[in-house]
Amino acid sequence: MNIKLSLKRPLFYILLPVLLVLAFVGFPPPIAPWPKTKPDQEQSVPADEAGDAL
């Protein structure tokens, strides 16, 4: 039982849906940007022990 398997035909059928989607949607596919992250809360500097103010 000799079965010759060619990689070209299965690869074509696997990539065909991907190529069809890219043909209709475009390349690169439109993907929404990541949501903005909240900035970290600023850390306050501890006051001097002596109470010096500038």
Side-chain angles (χ1 to χ4, degrees):
M1 191 166 147
N2 264 344
I3 299 176
K4 279 190 165 182
L5 290 178
S6 174
L7 189 61
K8 291 180 184 177
R9 196 167 295 244
L11 191 61
F12 173 74
Y13 287 116
I14 291 171
L15 291 180
L16 185 63
V18 174
L19 295 175
L20 284 174
V21 168
L22 290 179
F24 288 106
V25 174
F27 184 81
I31 299 173
W34 293 101
K36 300 283 185 189
T37 57
K38 293 181 180 177
D40 293 336
Q41 184 177 2
E42 293 183 10
Q43 299 295 324
S44 60
V45 179
D48 290 340
E49 296 291 330
D52 295 327
L54 293 176

